[in-house]
Amino acid sequence: MSDLFDDPAPSDRPGQNAPEFTVSEISGEVKRTLEGTFGRIRVKGEVGRVFKARSGHLYYDIKDDRSVLACTTWKGQISSLSVVPEEGLEVVVTGRLTAFGGQSKYNMNVDEVAVAGQGALMALLEKRKKQLEAEGLFAPERKKPLPYLPQIIGVVTSPSGAVIRDILHRLRDRFPRKVLVWPVAVQGANCAAEVARAIDGFNQLTPGGALPRPDLIIVARGGGSIEDLWGFNEEIVARAAAGSQIPLISAVGHETDTTLIDFVSDRRAPTPTAAAELAVPVRLELLGWVEQQGARLTRGAGQAVQIRRQRLNDLSRALPKPDTLLETPRQRLDQVSYRLPDALIRGVDRRRLKLSEAAASLRPATLRQLVQGRRDGLKNLSSRLSLRPIEREVARQGDRLTQLAQRMNALQSQRLQQARRGLDATGRQLEILSYKATLDRGYAVVRHGSDVVTRAAGARGADHLRIEFADGEIAVHPDGSDAGAKTVRQSTAQTPAPSKPAARKPKADPGQDDGGQGTLF
């Protein structure tokens, strides 16, 4: 019975005395073994499946023809990668092996990715080139023309290299312009991001602001290997250059170097110096061209004026003289003016004849017959019309005519009264202004026959005179001597003096106060 409780022989079941591990202990031991054994390693292979989680971590595979290695790059490590893994790209990844016990898997934490060889880089470049070309970023119609003479030029390059000195020197020699330099890294892991931010930053500047927006952008870098220029092959740089609203010149590398930014830019320059030559013209050449064009313009204007003056002289010689042009119209006018009186007479005779012919048919019998016919027609029409409405209309019109006649009589009487009053007032004014009223004031009118005597000399030569007073006339027969004239004055002085002495009016104009009836004195 004791044999049943004894341990079996070691030779039958070996390892029965090995220590027991928990799952977590064995997972941790495996992880420590992997990390301690391999440490930091580099692995070469082809990138397989690539997946970026919502958390920002990047998961992908590195594979060869027989095995697959899972790789992980944490969110904070992605920005330091010089090359972002893409499916089908042959790379060399650097990092540490580790294990994930939750799923009994091991993977590699990658913090650096490099393309494995120039052939792989060219393959990746060709792949990106085809993708961007398919999107139409290389289309010629998308390219913007360069400004002929930009006021401000923005340069994206390294501030410490020879490139910026070459550009500034060339601009100073050709046509000095204002230059804004946006310093960037032109190679390495930060190159692509900084170049893209510089292009976008220039486009976001406000025109005319404190830091003015450039009219032209030059992205420049000196020559180098494909690895050195790889930052300008990144998709982020190509898309930033394609989306620039400001015309852009790419001057990356030497003439034989080609990058993606060369295809999407508006103009490619083989060297940075050539980019400066494309940006501005030569000032001296431009001044010479302007002077040449000004001289040509002056010479052309002078020649044009001379040619037109000569043509005007030629045409003026072909024109007839003004007198010659007026001879025929003047003769025609003379002929017409000569024929006009006869034509008027003939016209009047012709119309008189037509009037006579028309009047010959207008005889009394014919008119009576015409009137009788119209009267018969009117009777026929009146017999067909009802007379009652007409009688009412006649009565209404008669009443209206009576009213109008009454109003007219009233208006006529009113106007007659007004006219009578005006006539009386005028008569009174006439009596006031008449010379008769002047005679009542002591004046007299001297007449010789029908003539009015206004001077003493006229009275001496008269055989008889008539003097009109307010109450009658007297006849005087002067003898033509001075004594006779005195006698007349004395007889005039013996007349009863008026109640009010009369004043002699100096130089009275005959007819001024009495309407030409006599002279008052």
Side-chain angles (χ1 to χ4, degrees), residues 271-293:
T271 60
T273 304
E277 294 176 355
L278 290 175
V280 295
V282 180
R283 186 173 183 272
L284 295 178
E285 293 180 358
L286 186 59
L287 290 175
W289 181 83
V290 171
E291 293 179 358
Q292 182 182 1
Q293 295 301 316

Side-chain angles (χ1 to χ4, degrees), residues 41 43 69-72 93-97 106-110:
I41 61 174
V43 179
L69 175 62
C71 297
T72 303
V93 296
T94 305
R96 296 180 180 273
L97 278 179
Y106 72 94
N107 62 2
M108 183 177 180
N109 176 228
V110 178

Side-chain angles (χ1 to χ4, degrees), residues 47-48 50 84-91 124 127-128 234-235:
V47 179
V50 179
V84 178
E86 296 182 13
E87 186 174 355
L89 181 63
E90 186 177 1
V91 296
L124 178 59
K127 178 182 177 181
R128 288 178 179 173
E234 293 292 347
E235 185 176 350

Side-chain angles (χ1 to χ4, degrees), residues 262-485:
D262 295 333
F263 296 99
V264 297
S265 61
D266 299 306
R267 193 75 173 268
R268 177 185 181 270
T271 60
T273 304
E277 294 176 355
L278 290 175
V280 295
V282 180
R283 186 173 183 272
L284 295 178
E285 293 180 358
L286 186 59
L287 290 175
W289 181 83
V290 171
E291 293 179 358
Q292 182 182 1
Q293 295 301 316
R296 291 181 58 189
L297 180 62
T298 303
R299 186 168 56 255
Q303 291 179 355
V305 171
Q306 183 64 28
I307 292 173
R308 283 164 175 77
R309 182 182 292 110
Q310 183 63 36
R311 183 172 178 80
L312 180 61
N313 293 333
D314 296 341
L315 292 175
S316 62
R317 285 195 295 270
L319 292 175
K321 295 181 179 180
D323 295 339
T324 306
L325 293 175
L326 294 176
E327 285 180 357
T328 302
R330 187 180 292 111
Q331 292 178 357
R332 189 181 301 112
L333 179 61
D334 294 340
Q335 293 176 0
V336 171
S337 61
Y338 177 76
R339 293 163 52 190
L340 181 60
D342 296 340
L344 291 176
I345 295 173
R346 287 195 299 271
V348 171
D349 293 341
R350 191 163 50 250
R351 286 167 177 75
R352 184 181 292 111
L353 180 59
K354 288 183 179 180
L355 180 60
S356 301
E357 293 176 354
S361 61
L362 297 176
R363 297 177 181 178
T366 304
L367 293 175
R368 284 194 295 270
Q369 183 179 359
L370 180 61
V371 171
Q372 185 62 34
R374 297 293 176 85
R375 184 181 291 112
D376 295 339
L378 182 61
K379 288 181 180 180
N380 294 332
L381 291 174
S382 61
S383 63
R384 289 187 295 174
L385 294 174
S386 176
L387 298 179
R388 187 170 298 173
I390 297 176
E391 292 175 355
R392 287 199 297 268
E393 180 66 21
V394 170
R396 187 174 67 81
Q397 296 292 342
D399 295 340
R400 184 178 179 185
L401 182 61
T402 301
Q403 294 176 0
L404 292 175
Q406 293 175 356
R407 290 177 60 188
M408 185 179 295
N409 291 332
L411 290 174
Q412 186 175 4
S413 299
Q414 185 178 359
R415 289 188 177 183
L416 287 175
Q417 292 176 1
Q418 294 177 354
R420 187 177 291 110
R421 287 195 295 269
L423 183 60
D424 294 340
T426 304
R428 287 193 297 271
Q429 291 179 0
L430 183 61
E431 290 178 357
I432 293 172
L433 298 176
S434 174
Y435 79 98
K436 297 288 187 182
T438 306
L439 294 178
D440 291 337
R441 296 199 299 271
Y443 289 89
V445 179
V446 179
R447 290 186 178 88
H448 175 244
S450 61
D451 298 331
V452 178
V453 179
T454 61
R455 298 287 186 271
R460 293 189 189 96
D463 54 354
H464 66 277
L465 298 173
R466 289 187 301 111
I467 303 175
E468 181 181 0
F469 297 94
D471 55 350
E473 294 182 0
I474 63 173
V476 178
H477 300 278
D479 55 0
S481 63
D482 295 338

Side-chain angles (χ1 to χ4, degrees), residues 25-149:
E25 289 175 346
I26 195 66
S27 297
E29 189 65 26
V30 170
K31 180 177 181 180
R32 285 189 295 271
T33 302
L34 284 174
E35 294 179 353
T37 303
F38 291 96
R40 184 173 178 83
I41 61 174
R42 299 175 72 238
V43 179
K44 179 180 179 181
E46 181 183 346
V47 179
R49 176 186 60 87
V50 179
F51 172 72
K52 189 172 185 179
R54 292 183 179 179
S55 60
H57 306 320
L58 188 63
Y59 300 95
Y60 51 97
D61 296 333
I62 300 296
K63 62 181 181 179
D64 57 13
D65 55 348
R66 289 180 296 178
S67 302
V68 176
L69 175 62
C71 297
T72 303
T73 301
W74 307 121
K75 178 180 179 181
Q77 298 172 325
I78 294 178
S79 59
S80 62
L81 296 180
S82 58
V83 177
V84 178
E86 296 182 13
E87 186 174 355
L89 181 63
E90 186 177 1
V91 296
V92 176
V93 296
T94 305
R96 296 180 180 273
L97 278 179
T98 185
F100 181 58
Q103 295 181 357
S104 298
K105 293 182 178 179
Y106 72 94
N107 62 2
M108 183 177 180
N109 176 228
V110 178
D111 56 13
E112 183 179 343
V113 180
V115 178
Q118 185 173 355
L121 287 177
M122 295 305 296
L124 178 59
L125 177 61
E126 190 65 25
K127 178 182 177 181
R128 288 178 179 173
K129 181 179 176 181
K130 291 181 179 179
Q131 177 185 352
L132 297 178
E133 186 176 9
E135 296 179 12
L137 299 185
F138 300 168
E141 56 271 12
R142 292 187 70 258
K143 300 185 182 299
K144 297 174 285 296
L146 302 181
Y148 180 73
L149 186 61

